Amino acid sequence: MFFDSWNAIGRVLVTGVISYPVLIIFLRVSGKRSLSKMNMFDFVVTIAIGSVLATTLLDKKTPLASGITALGLLLFLQFLVSWLTLRWKAARDLIKGSPEALYADGTFREEAMRRTRVHQTEILQSVREKGIASLEQVEAVVLETNGDISVVKKSSQGAVSDTLTDVNGMKKTPAP
């Protein structure tokens, strides 16, 4: 239970020394997108990469070539999904979802807050973190697709922010 053999430890060492740089190279080739703030798909791929790496390191029945192939496949699929979401709105909506207005037009959006499981205290905390003392200074509070809460200040000119055009629950203004 505590010790199998020196061969097993040697296998873990050799496999780790080979697979770790391969993972670094794969991540470097796949681009910064693989390491950015995560949406749901990115999170799933990250967990899967960790699982594949652990299995490759510790399971004697998993050949190193199979582990490297699985890592490459996961990163390729992440690249493919990113490519599809960039070029196809239906894929973007399916994979990433849309930002959701939690507070806008001077009111808390109770249904959106319930659906996204965000409490009013979390919204107020986000407003305070931005150094804003009054909700009267806030145009909108938005739950982003990566889980961050953004606070958009009202414009001093009274113009509606064009950064809110893709947010669920916001009034859509026609493009100029």
Side-chain angles (χ1 to χ4, degrees), residues 27 29-43 45-46 73-96:
L27 287 172
V29 168
S30 69
K32 293 178 182 164
R33 177 82 187 113
S34 301
L35 303 174
S36 66
K37 288 190 174 191
M38 292 188 268
N39 60 40
M40 183 175 41
F41 180 75
D42 297 327
F43 179 73
V45 169
T46 301
L73 176 63
L74 288 171
L75 290 168
F76 170 75
L77 290 173
Q78 185 180 36
F79 171 81
L80 182 63
V81 167
S82 296
W83 184 85
L84 286 171
T85 59
L86 190 62
R87 287 160 181 75
W88 190 27
K89 185 180 179 336
R92 184 170 44 256
D93 292 343
L94 178 67
I95 300 297
K96 294 189 178 204

Side-chain angles (χ1 to χ4, degrees), residues 6-82:
W6 287 108
N7 285 343
I9 291 180
R11 181 192 178 287
V12 169
L13 290 172
V14 169
T15 303
V17 166
I18 294 171
S19 59
Y20 183 74
V22 168
L23 177 61
I24 297 297
I25 291 166
F26 280 178
L27 287 172
R28 185 75 175 122
V29 168
S30 69
K32 293 178 182 164
R33 177 82 187 113
S34 301
L35 303 174
S36 66
K37 288 190 174 191
M38 292 188 268
N39 60 40
M40 183 175 41
F41 180 75
D42 297 327
F43 179 73
V44 168
V45 169
T46 301
I47 298 299
I49 286 171
S51 178
V52 166
L53 188 57
T55 300
T56 302
L57 284 172
L58 299 175
D59 186 359
K60 296 175 188 175
K61 298 174 188 167
T62 304
L64 179 60
S66 295
I68 290 173
T69 301
L71 289 173
L73 176 63
L74 288 171
L75 290 168
F76 170 75
L77 290 173
Q78 185 180 36
F79 171 81
L80 182 63
V81 167
S82 296

